[in-house]
Amino acid sequence: MDLPIKRISAHARREKSIRHGHISTLHIWWARRPLAACRAVICASLWPDPADELCPEAFRKTARAEMTKWARQNLGLLGQESFPRFNRLAKNGKKLDDNVEIRKALFDFIADFANWDNSTVKEYLETARALTQTAHEALGGASGSRPLIVDPFAGGGSIPLEALRVGADAFASDLNPIAVLLNKVVLEYIPMYGQHLADEVRKWGEWIKEAAEKELAEFYPKDPDGATPIAYLWARTINCEGPGCGAEVPILPSRLLEKSRDRSIWINLSGKGGSVHITIHQGSVAEQNLNGTAKRGSVTCPCCGYTTPIARVREQLKKSGGGVKTARLLAVAVVHSKNGVRDYRLPHESDYQALAKAAKEIIRLRYTNPDFFPDETLPLMSGVFNVPLYGHNTWSSLYSDRQLLLLITLCRLVKKVGEKVDSKKDVGFASATVTMLSLAIGKVADYSTSICTWVQSGAFIGHTFAQGQCLPMKFDFAEGVPLVGYSGSWEGAIDWGCRIIEREADALLHVGQSELVSATAQSLPDDTASCLITDPPYYNAVPYADLSDFFYVWHRRTLGSLHSDLFQLKEAPKAEEICEMSGWDPDRYGNKTAAFFENEIGKAFADSRRVLSPTGIGVVVFAHKTTSGWEAMLQALVSAGWTITASWPIDTEMAARLRARNSAVLASSIHLVCRPRENADCTVSKTDIGDWRDVLAELPNRIHDWMPRLADEGVVGADAIFACIGPALEVFSRYSRVEKASGEAVTLKEYLEHVWAAVSKEALKMIFEGADAFGFEEDARLTAMWLWTVATTEKEESLTAEGAEEEDEKIKKKTTGGFSLEYDAARKIAQGLGAHLEDLGHLVEIQGETAVLLPVAARTRYLFGKDSTEAPRGRPKKKDKQLTLGFEGELKQIEEESGDWTGEFKGKAGKTVLDQVHQSMILFAAGRSEALKRFLVEDGIGRNFLFWRLAQSLSALYPTSTNEKRWVDGVLARKKGLGF
Ligand SMILES: C[S@@+](CC[C@H](N)C(=O)[O-])C[C@H]1O[C@@H](n2cnc3c(N)ncnc32)[C@H](O)[C@@H]1O
Ligand SMILES: [Zn+2]
């Protein structure tokens, strides 16, 4: 079935800001898929299209009845999103009798069900399950059985969770033990034990809190005035290498402690007598004046002014194993008991005494219980884990003594719970309880390392993986007090986990299954699954196994005996992990090249096809930054015996962010729909040979059919290009081999070039609304197609607060910096339009992997200069000038140079229509209305209808916030006045 892409995407993006009860708050897992997208995709995979001639009549009948019932029942439930179709039906008591109408009703249902708020509402669940059940039986499933959905790359469990929700069975596997653990909770524990589990976890969570408070009280003393410390703010230190100095200097990027609307709090550092003194201040001050001692890793001494370079800073920290032991406590954030006000103070003697006690306790534990310590290696991975560059070579080295003591205590208490809960009654229930408690330790650990920084704008502790899938070095850090209910608290971790159980308890009817196994050798028998829905690793985006060791080393210590199948190894298994990572770590992963990735992912696709029933359906999520990555994945899928039939670009926050950067637009997540290309006996067919001429003839028709449907859904630009890949590939991948007349096989790569061309041509037809796009020169065609591809419509709204600042910068840049595309994508688009990037240097600038469509202002000299072959590119001197002059200044300069400066600018008309439109835009922007009039009227440029046609199209294509948009609209506004 098709999908209401736009509406689902909006829900997927909104979901990112939802926290309570969402499985992402159970534990960190990287690059999780939004549940909204998973839910919708699963519905569309399980339910046939009523308007399709092959749809079983039984399903149509149920769909008709269910949709009518649902509409009537839920009129009250339908809020803002209520669709007229349902309202009409409900009010008139009318029947859905047309198959296309039933399809539309199902679309509305799927779109509405994708809403997080509706995902646990009884009426939605019952309707979805009824449809799933009927579809399954109508398509040949045994009566009373449920369709099985498999996900062999299950990760954090979004896909299998949604499979259960819509009434299917779910089988989730992953190579990573932590992923399997998370799936166990979601698919087994929550459906099995529900609210009862949440109650038990809360009970034991409280018990642990009380026990830990008692055990650890002496290490976290309260202030004599009754205030409670909530965070200790530290900085690593170096000894100044200035001649004769040697002062111990805190490495501090910023002196700001807290910034809110009404106050700033900061510290001052002064160097006296060879040591650095600290004072705390409050008032109003500009943030930029609060620079600390460190700038890009080099450290300037407040005593002597000498700057110790980064290489030496690194050396010094390396010597002390990361510098946590030699860090200095700068300040303590406290909350006053009387009024709850937050305050900052300098360290007290009692703080140092507590720290000394913790250090002593750690020495004792190291002696008595060395196994408690996660001393497993933390490997250096270029650009991913850079903390080892500073001496953090073991996981335990990331923590201070007191942080270690806290985590070790929690682990010990969780294990004790394991002994105390009555496992005689129900072993599974006891395991579930202890597993949930251990996951809470994972959450606390994430907030308890020496790379957690203090977030000054909100006065809370940022977590270890705040920057995503990496471990970047931080010189200053905030140590929390997880037993008081502040950021990263134990109580909070328990609560987040329990809220998920409580929310989903009633929504998941039956139990799923999870297993630790590689996707390349799955354990299910042949032909058992109805659907394969999966989100495989993205080439080299996330090193899951290495990242997961951060948690694995703790969970193995608490859960090793409970889940002995998951924690046999000292670290998470790596050898079979599918990821291209030779570049990150050539020593350990020299073999994990692009070829390894392609080979292994191919095996996984082949084994997935084996597991799927011959009539089953597959959906594979792809998110790649490069066209070559795409081609490799598609090739692997086709070679593994799959026919691709459709593709849904469903927007996720990640895609939106990459998009907003206005580059790498091809990073949208695409759901590729595919089916096994098998003979009746389930062997892959090898003998159906396609004729290249037929394939080529069918391609444009396919694209022609699809594009308008996408446009109706609001899908444009790169999303539309990818949405066309599915149908385009169906034409090709239904054959085991496509041959030219000579008998030579056509490669997928060659075919994809044709797909790009066909898509570009079709898109242009739409852009120019029926006008013959080929009436325009190649520069106009390329510009139009380019702008269409980078179209950012609405996407920027979905940025999260944390990303917004960074994005703002980028968006600002966009208004002056042109429009960029991945070079290879740009090349393909150009080629598809019969244009050559290499000949268009005055329009497009190539910067390494990126191609930039120049901003119009940057074309001033090319358009008006004496020698119009002068490209802005390759003339650095002129370009420098241009930057300082701005285009108005440059225009003036050109006039002076040409010697015809009479106060009436006489620019000659450009060669192409695009050049002419750009010229008039520049004249408009420079306020030269007389010159613009002469240009359009006297020179006759405005009499060419193509000129206005192009201006009109460009007005629709330039993003709203750009100069270009304002300028072209300015030109268009004069059209009538000038008599055209
Ligand atoms: C993109 S993630 C899946 C994320 C998941 N859809 C979610 O929403 O959380 C890819 C997963 O593939 C797993 N993986 C990598 N190599 C594997 C292999 N050979 N077999 C099974 N799983 C593997 C990783 O551990 C990771 O969890
Ligand atoms: Zn010094």
Side-chain angles (χ1 to χ4, degrees):
M1 190 153 76
D2 227 348
L3 268 186
I5 291 166
K6 182 105 175 165
R7 283 178 270 164
I8 297 164
S9 298
H11 288 306
R13 290 200 293 271
R14 193 186 138 234
E15 199 184 299
K16 290 278 167 180
S17 52
I18 286 160
R19 314 241 311 134
H20 284 162
H22 194 281
I23 54 161
S24 61
T25 61
L26 178 62
H27 199 270
I28 295 258
W29 197 252
W30 302 266
R32 286 170 179 271
R33 206 104 296 269
L35 302 178
C38 301
R39 186 152 61 245
V41 161
I42 291 171
C43 292
S45 307
L46 290 172
W47 307 342
D49 178 353
D52 184 325
E53 55 187 29
L54 298 177
C55 178
E57 197 46 46
F59 180 77
R60 279 196 193 120
K61 211 172 133 211
T62 305
R64 191 181 304 130
E66 284 296 330
M67 287 298 95
T68 312
K69 185 174 94 193
W70 185 77
R72 290 212 188 109
Q73 249 181 13
N74 305 306
L75 194 59
L77 280 176
L78 296 169
Q80 276 229 328
E81 276 191 82
S82 76
F83 299 110
R85 186 169 304 116
F86 283 127
N87 285 328
R88 230 182 23 242
L89 276 175
K91 278 201 191 105
N92 305 342
K94 254 184 75 176
K95 272 196 189 145
L96 272 172
D97 30 25
D98 176 308
N99 290 338
V100 175
E101 280 297 309
I102 304 177
R103 170 209 266 167
K104 286 185 186 163
L106 283 176
F107 271 20
D108 287 347
F109 177 81
I110 291 176
D112 214 11
F113 189 30
N115 186 340
W116 165 259
D117 302 333
N118 295 338
S119 63
T120 50
V121 174
K122 190 168 141 263
E123 288 81 356
Y124 284 87
L125 295 170
E126 285 175 352
T127 305
R129 286 165 187 169
L131 290 167
T132 298
Q133 195 59 34
T134 311
H136 178 61
E137 290 174 15
L139 292 168
S143 168
S145 72
R146 285 184 291 261
L148 173 65
I149 293 185
V150 295
D151 178 1
F153 295 105
S158 321
I159 293 168
L161 165 66
E162 293 310 314
L164 292 189
R165 193 185 313 278
V166 306
D169 279 333
F171 189 93
S173 52
D174 199 288
L175 182 68
N176 193 287
I178 304 300
V180 177
L181 200 63
L182 299 179
N183 276 285
K184 256 193 186 334
V185 171
V186 174
L187 307 180
E188 300 174 25
Y189 298 158
I190 297 181
M192 260 192 254
Y193 307 118
Q195 184 63 44
H196 188 25
L197 176 60
D199 295 342
E200 192 77 356
V201 172
R202 285 192 193 281
K203 181 180 104 192
W204 288 108
E206 188 55 34
W207 181 84
I208 289 177
K209 181 172 183 266
E210 280 168 18
E213 264 168 358
K214 233 181 262 157
E215 284 192 29
L216 298 173
E218 58 176 324
F219 306 107
Y220 295 100
K222 282 205 166 187
D223 284 9
D225 65 358
T228 309
I230 51 167
Y232 298 91
L233 309 181
W234 295 81
R236 288 170 172 75
T237 60
I238 55 152
N239 291 316
C240 170
E241 298 192 355
C245 181
E248 186 199 87
V249 183
I251 316 175
L252 203 56
S254 160
R255 291 185 284 120
L256 186 65
L257 295 179
E258 183 173 329
K259 185 171 178 57
S260 57
R261 211 176 318 144
D262 43 343
R263 66 172 186 177
S264 288
I265 300 175
W266 69 94
I267 58 178
N268 279 348
L269 304 168
S270 60
K272 267 183 256 147
S275 57
V276 177
H277 296 268
I278 295 176
T279 44
I280 297 179
H281 304 266
Q282 179 166 338
S284 80
V285 67
E287 208 172 315
Q288 60 268 30
N289 297 334
L290 290 176
N291 291 338
T293 56
K295 206 170 176 187
R296 286 194 210 94
S298 303
V299 179
T300 303
C301 172
C303 299
C304 72
Y306 178 83
T307 299
T308 304
I310 179 167
R312 292 296 312 152
V313 172
R314 222 175 244 184
E315 269 320 298
Q316 287 203 29
L317 292 181
K318 224 173 179 171
K319 270 201 198 114
S320 61
V324 181
K325 286 208 184 318
T326 51
R328 173 166 172 180
L329 181 58
L330 304 176
V332 183
V334 298
V335 170
H336 290 295
S337 52
K338 279 172 262 129
N339 48 14
V341 169
R342 188 173 48 249
D343 209 349
Y344 296 81
R345 62 163 174 81
L346 292 172
H348 291 158
E349 194 44 42
S350 59
D351 295 316
Y352 295 119
Q353 283 167 0
L355 288 164
K357 275 188 207 160
K360 214 166 134 196
E361 180 60 9
I362 283 294
I363 293 173
R364 191 187 68 80
L365 284 174
R366 276 222 170 261
Y367 186 71
T368 54
N369 299 76
D371 295 347
F372 284 175
F373 293 80
D375 291 333
E376 290 83 356
T377 306
L378 198 181
L380 175 67
M381 291 176 80
S382 165
V384 186
F385 291 174
N386 77 359
V387 285
L389 285 177
Y390 294 84
H392 286 290
N393 296 313
T394 60
W395 292 103
S396 57
S397 77
L398 284 179
Y399 306 90
S400 73
D401 282 343
R402 188 161 53 186
Q403 288 174 324
L404 275 176
L405 184 58
L406 167 84
L407 291 167
I408 287 172
T409 305
L410 291 175
C411 284
R412 210 166 27 73
L413 291 169
V414 167
K415 284 185 79 160
K416 212 170 198 174
V417 172
E419 294 154 17
K420 284 171 102 72
V421 282
D422 194 357
S423 59
K424 271 180 245 95
K425 251 201 304 201
D426 185 340
V427 186
F429 184 61
S431 298
T433 307
V434 177
T435 301
M436 284 299 295
L437 294 171
S438 188
L439 291 178
I441 296 182
K443 275 189 86 79
V444 172
D446 185 29
Y447 281 90
S448 302
T449 70
S450 64
I451 60 171
C452 293
T453 51
W454 186 241
V455 181
Q456 297 127 339
S457 53
F460 59 88
I461 298 175
H463 67 125
T464 304
F465 290 102
Q467 276 169 260
Q469 42 263 2
C470 55
L471 290 174
M473 184 61 172
K474 301 285 175 192
F475 296 117
D476 55 339
F477 65 96
E479 179 202 4
V481 187
L483 298 172
V484 304
Y486 212 65
S487 24
S489 74
W490 170 256
E491 222 177 329
I494 294 289
D495 187 47
W496 287 113
C498 289
R499 280 177 188 240
I500 298 163
I501 304 178
E502 284 155 357
R503 186 173 198 277
E504 300 294 5
D506 299 328
L508 304 180
L509 281 181
H510 47 271
V511 178
Q513 252 182 299
S514 59
E515 195 181 39
L516 184 78
V517 68
S518 171
T520 52
Q522 298 167 39
S523 60
L524 287 175
D526 296 3
D527 305 327
T528 37
S530 308
C531 292
L532 161 85
I533 305 201
T534 197
D535 169 28
Y538 317 139
Y539 222 58
N540 61 1
V542 186
Y544 283 99
D546 286 295
L547 286 165
S548 74
D549 276 341
F550 176 90
F551 298 106
Y552 186 94
V553 294
W554 291 114
H555 294 317
R556 184 172 68 84
R557 286 172 167 80
T558 48
L559 303 174
S561 49
L562 218 54
H563 296 289
S564 53
D565 50 332
L566 300 183
F567 293 100
Q568 277 170 6
L569 304 170
K570 248 182 101 186
E571 293 165 15
K574 316 239 159 45
E576 289 174 274
E577 185 182 22
I578 304 180
C579 192
E580 192 273 290
M581 41 190 173
S582 53
W584 289 335
D585 187 347
D587 293 341
R588 283 187 309 146
Y589 296 129
N591 67 321
K592 296 213 178 186
T593 56
F596 170 88
F597 180 88
E598 284 161 32
N599 198 23
E600 295 301 301
I601 202 87
K603 277 193 216 162
F605 289 150
D607 207 46
S608 301
R609 188 183 43 70
R610 175 188 67 73
V611 167
L612 191 68
S613 112
T615 54
I617 184 168
V619 178
V620 179
V621 185
F622 275 9
H624 272 304
K625 290 200 189 76
T626 62
T627 44
S628 58
W630 261 89
E631 285 167 9
M633 282 290 252
L634 292 172
Q635 181 67 62
L637 206 50
V638 173
S639 304
W642 292 88
T643 296
I644 293 148
T645 60
S647 45
W648 301 315
I650 299 182
D651 224 335
T652 61
E653 192 237 359
M654 180 172 79
R657 288 189 59 172
L658 290 166
R659 184 79 43 81
R661 277 174 205 168
N662 226 18
S663 62
V665 287
L666 305 180
S668 339
S669 345
I670 306 292
H671 298 65
L672 278 181
V673 187
C674 41
R675 296 204 176 257
R677 193 178 61 242
E678 290 179 351
N679 300 317
D681 64 355
C682 299
T683 53
V684 182
S685 64
K686 294 229 167 75
T687 49
D688 39 357
I689 311 285
D691 184 323
W692 184 221
R693 281 164 306 186
D694 296 344
V695 170
L696 277 188
E698 195 179 340
L699 173 64
N701 301 335
R702 262 297 158 121
I703 306 292
H704 183 74
D705 288 348
W706 263 86
M707 257 332 183
R709 278 167 74 181
L710 292 169
D712 281 351
E713 267 295 314
V715 181
V716 294
D719 283 348
I721 297 182
F722 283 107
C724 283
I725 280 187
L729 277 173
E730 186 189 2
V731 180
F732 185 84
S733 61
R734 70 166 80 113
Y735 303 106
S736 53
R737 178 183 156 100
V738 174
E739 286 182 359
K740 295 183 179 166
S742 61
E744 181 197 346
V746 182
T747 62
L748 181 67
K749 197 169 159 47
E750 182 176 352
Y751 179 64
L752 283 171
E753 301 268 328
H754 288 269
V755 173
W756 279 84
V759 171
S760 301
K761 282 191 193 129
E762 196 58 41
L764 266 196
K765 269 192 228 156
M766 277 182 13
I767 295 170
F768 291 117
E769 285 168 16
D772 177 12
F774 283 76
F776 294 105
E777 293 98 340
E778 60 173 18
D779 57 350
R781 280 182 275 143
L782 182 69
T783 300
M785 187 62 193
W786 196 298
L787 292 171
W788 186 78
T789 308
V790 299
T792 51
T793 53
E794 296 175 353
K795 307 265 163 64
E796 282 148 21
E797 288 168 15
S798 67
L799 296 176
T800 56
E802 37 185 285
E805 227 169 87
E806 176 195 343
E807 301 304 334
D808 273 356
E809 260 316 290
K810 303 246 163 68
I811 290 163
K812 246 185 260 153
K813 248 168 99 187
K814 181 180 78 184
T815 49
T816 53
F819 308 90
S820 43
L821 274 178
E822 185 212 354
Y823 168 71
D824 194 43
R827 187 186 62 76
K828 289 192 157 104
I829 288 173
Q831 201 171 314
L833 298 171
H836 299 280
L837 288 186
E838 291 67 24
D839 303 339
L840 291 169
H842 52 83
L843 189 64
V844 175
E845 190 169 277
I846 294 156
Q847 305 164 348
E849 295 292 293
T850 310
V852 182
L853 183 71
L854 288 170
V856 171
R859 303 192 68 216
T860 307
R861 179 158 289 273
Y862 169 79
L863 293 171
F864 293 105
K866 238 196 303 192
D867 172 8
S868 61
T869 56
E870 283 180 33
R873 189 168 69 114
R875 295 186 65 95
K877 247 173 94 193
K878 286 271 162 54
K879 205 173 166 194
D880 284 351
K881 229 187 244 170
Q882 171 193 319
L883 282 179
T884 48
L885 286 175
F887 74 96
E888 283 123 319
E890 196 175 12
L891 210 51
K892 221 176 238 144
Q893 199 189 33
I894 294 167
E895 289 165 339
E896 285 159 16
E897 281 169 19
S898 65
D900 64 3
W901 174 245
T902 56
E904 291 186 348
F905 181 58
K906 289 198 186 70
K908 57 179 172 11
K911 277 188 263 180
T912 66
V913 179
L914 179 76
D915 285 349
Q916 293 164 0
V917 173
H918 281 175
Q919 282 177 312
S920 32
M921 285 163 66
I922 289 173
L923 291 175
F924 168 81
R928 306 295 183 88
S929 26
E930 275 310 303
L932 179 60
K933 185 174 166 193
R934 225 178 7 259
F935 185 69
L936 293 177
V937 181
E938 286 162 33
D939 296 356
I941 302 295
R943 281 196 293 277
N944 180 1
F945 83 97
L946 282 177
F947 174 93
W948 297 108
R949 183 96 214 195
L950 182 61
Q952 206 86 51
S953 301
L954 290 179
S955 163
L957 289 166
Y958 283 125
T960 14
S961 58
T962 55
N963 286 337
E964 277 83 352
K965 166 75 176 154
R966 275 192 300 115
W967 298 347
V968 78
D969 284 350
V971 173
L972 283 166
R974 298 210 55 189
K975 184 176 174 189
K976 250 208 184 124
L978 295 174
F980 294 112

